[in-house]
């Protein structure tokens, strides 16, 4: 764990620490404006609201949100590329797109206002992770249609930091620049940060020789154990940051240095948790699907966007003084869920088993297959260098241990395959951890 004193800096205290009553007022006002904008400009919304008999005037407060129809990724595909714009095309100054890890591409259009909103929320995230104008921030998220690179870049510029726009890849050069320039903060996916950390060790550089103090890591699920490992590897405070292209990109929610969940930027995004099957809203504390409504965007606002991300909300006050609710780590996606012989399996469950064990690294791969109509799950796990040189008996014991632990957590039998260190391909962006070979 870090011994560095905890800095508590807040970028926009007026918005981030507003009373819940005042926030509700503001959300309701902004929601009314967004609903009107959508109804008047986007045929899909108008059609769906008319079909439900809902008029913009019916939506008065945040409580009326539940009367609105949902929107989801398939709608963005069907309306690709400009069908959901609420602003004239001439007002759109930027396009971003999803990395397409889950299917056909989707794009989102941003007005100047939308880029400004997004920039501000990332500035808040970087500030919460201890960032300011004296920092040197290395952005190792990919630049391009993917929102990670430019998103972090804009936020870092906004707080007046010195930005190093490395983009992803070219690990040796990343490390060289990090060391020579005295980079203080790193922004990339947690899996790439771990890989950078491991590579730094291999090059014989110790974290003390670097000037790194913290980082904002997101764009893919990770675990508390991965955080501990990353913090040790790089000698930093590692904060989580969440976002998605449809809503703006990274910065929708972010962790403060309390590291007890991510504050949702509720003055810009209303968050709901629903039961993915009944579609009914769930109370705080219950696990369900995240749904976001943007209330300050003008290019392609989203009303009740179903993210497919599974998570829990926490409205307990935070030590940092921010009043915005926090979301826990994403524990899975309704569509990433593997159904193996009828059992729902989330990769995060397997990960939680692996990261708690000595002798294995946080790199793994799940391979699903169907043999003679029976589903098989193989879990490939990388051994650490120390374990790799251990006796066969010990390695076998570790394998049995993993198999048993997975069985007790997930409830299914798996084949555990222990592989040599560094043999699972590393990703420079989002890690790919599932290969499903079943032809169903
Ligand atoms: P896609 O990956 O579908 O192409 P995006 O690049 O917009 O699209 O990624 C958004 C998704 O990435 C989110 O819906 C979520 O599943 C995942 N994600 C982003 N940040 C985090 C995070 N901090 N923790 C877990 N998952 C995250
Ligand atoms: Zn906080």
């Amino acid at each position: 764990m870090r011994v560095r004193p905890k800095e508590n800096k807040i970028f926009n205290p007026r918005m981030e620490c507003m009373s819940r009553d005042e926030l509700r007022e503001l959300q309701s006002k902004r929601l009314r404006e967004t609903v009107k904008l959508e109804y008047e400009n986007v045929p899909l919304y108008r059609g769906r609201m008319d079909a439900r008999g809902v008029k913009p005037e019916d939506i008065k407060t945040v409580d009326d949100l539940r009367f609105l129809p949902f929107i989801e990724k398939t709608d963005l595909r069907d309306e690709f590329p400009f069908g959901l714009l609420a602003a004239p095309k001439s007002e759109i100054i930027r396009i971003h797109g999803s990395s397409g890890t889950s299917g056909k591409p989707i794009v989102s259009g941003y007005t100047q206002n939308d880029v400004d909103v997004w920039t501000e929320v990332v500035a808040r995230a970087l500030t919460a992770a201890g960032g300011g104008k004296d920092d040197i921030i290395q952005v190792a998220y990919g630049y391009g249609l993917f929102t990670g690179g430019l998103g972090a870049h804009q936020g870092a510029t906004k707080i007046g930091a010195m930005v190093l726009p490395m983009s992803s890849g070219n690990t040796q050069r990343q490390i060289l620049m990090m060391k020579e320039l005295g980079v203080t903060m790193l922004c990339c996916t947690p899996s790439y940060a771990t890989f950078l950390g491991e590579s730094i060790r291999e090059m014989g550089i110790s974290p003390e020789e670097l000037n790194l103090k913290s980082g904002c890591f997101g764009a893919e699920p990770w675990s508390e154990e991965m955080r501990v490992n990353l913090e040790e590897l790089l000698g930093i405070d590692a904060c989580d940051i969440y976002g998605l292209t449809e809503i703006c990109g990274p910065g929708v929610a972010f962790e403060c240095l309390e590291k007890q969940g991510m504050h949702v930027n509720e003055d810009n995004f209303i968050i709901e948790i629903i039961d993915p099957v009944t579609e009914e809203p769930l109370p705080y504390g219950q696990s369900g699907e995240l749904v976001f409504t943007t209330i300050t965007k003008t290019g392609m606002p989203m009303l009740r966007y179903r993210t497919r991300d599974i998570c829990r909300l926490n409205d307990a006050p935070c030590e940092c003084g921010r009043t915005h609710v926090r979301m826990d780590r994403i524990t899975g996606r309704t569509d990433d869920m593997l159904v193996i012989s009828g059992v729902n399996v989330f990769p995060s469950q397997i990960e939680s088993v692996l990261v708690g064990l000595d002798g294995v690294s946080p790199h793994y791969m799940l391979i699903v297959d169907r043999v003679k109509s029976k589903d098989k799950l193989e879990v490939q796990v990388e051994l650490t260098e120390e374990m790799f040189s251990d006796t066969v008996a010990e390695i076998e014991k570790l394998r049995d241990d993993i198999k048993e632990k997975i069985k007790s957590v997930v409830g299914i039998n798996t084949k555990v395959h222990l592989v040599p260190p560094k043999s699972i391909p590393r990703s420079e962006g989002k890690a790919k951890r599932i290969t499903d070979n079943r032809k169903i």
Side-chain angles (χ1 to χ4, degrees), residues 57-68:
E57 311 77 82
D58 300 331
I59 309 299
K60 296 188 179 71
T61 73
V62 180
D63 287 336
D64 301 325
L65 204 59
R66 64 201 154 93
F67 299 121
L68 291 171

Side-chain angles (χ1 to χ4, degrees), residues 73 98-102 146 218-222 240-246 262 307 309 330 333 430:
K73 212 175 197 114
S98 128
S99 54
T101 40
S102 27
F146 175 55
E220 65 181 9
W222 51 314
D240 200 352
I241 181 166
Y242 168 90
L244 59 166
T245 316
E246 297 85 331
M262 296 178 271
T307 63
D309 289 326
I330 303 286
R333 284 178 62 88
K430 298 187 191 226

Side-chain angles (χ1 to χ4, degrees), residues 94-99 110 118 122 138-154 163-171 174 186-193 196 216-220 241 245 248-250 427-431:
R94 183 93 64 76
I95 293 292
H96 277 284
S98 128
S99 54
Y110 299 64
W118 181 25
V122 180
Q138 180 160 350
V139 180
Y141 283 114
Y143 280 64
L145 277 182
F146 175 55
T147 51
L150 278 162
H153 184 110
Q154 292 162 177
V163 190
L164 186 59
M166 293 297 290
S167 195
S168 61
N170 209 337
T171 304
Q174 299 266 7
L186 175 65
C187 298
C188 61
T189 59
S191 54
Y192 190 50
L196 278 170
C216 294
F217 306 102
E220 65 181 9
I241 181 166
T245 316
C248 71
S427 125
E428 287 163 354
K430 298 187 191 226

Side-chain angles (χ1 to χ4, degrees), residues 27 31 62 65 266 268-272 291-295:
Q27 285 185 322
L31 175 65
V62 180
L65 204 59
E266 286 185 286
N268 298 294
F269 316 111
I270 303 178
I271 188 168
E272 294 173 273
V291 172
F292 283 104
T293 297
T294 69
I295 47 174

Side-chain angles (χ1 to χ4, degrees), residues 194 198 225-226 229 350-364 379-388 390 394-395 397-403 405 416-422 424 426:
T194 306
E198 289 171 346
E225 289 82 356
M226 264 180 88
N229 177 50
I350 309 250
E351 180 170 323
S352 73
V353 169
L354 300 178
V355 286
L357 288 171
D358 280 341
V360 294
S361 79
H363 302 286
Y364 66 95
V379 183
Q380 288 189 354
V381 195
E382 236 177 53
L383 291 168
T384 57
E385 294 285 354
E386 302 84 63
M387 195 66 198
F388 191 55
D390 252 323
E394 258 174 278
I395 293 179
K397 184 178 166 299
L398 177 65
R399 187 174 51 213
D400 293 346
D401 211 23
I402 296 176
K403 204 171 137 79
K405 287 224 166 76
V416 174
H417 189 47
L418 296 173
V419 298
K422 313 270 173 297
I424 291 179
R426 302 297 195 260

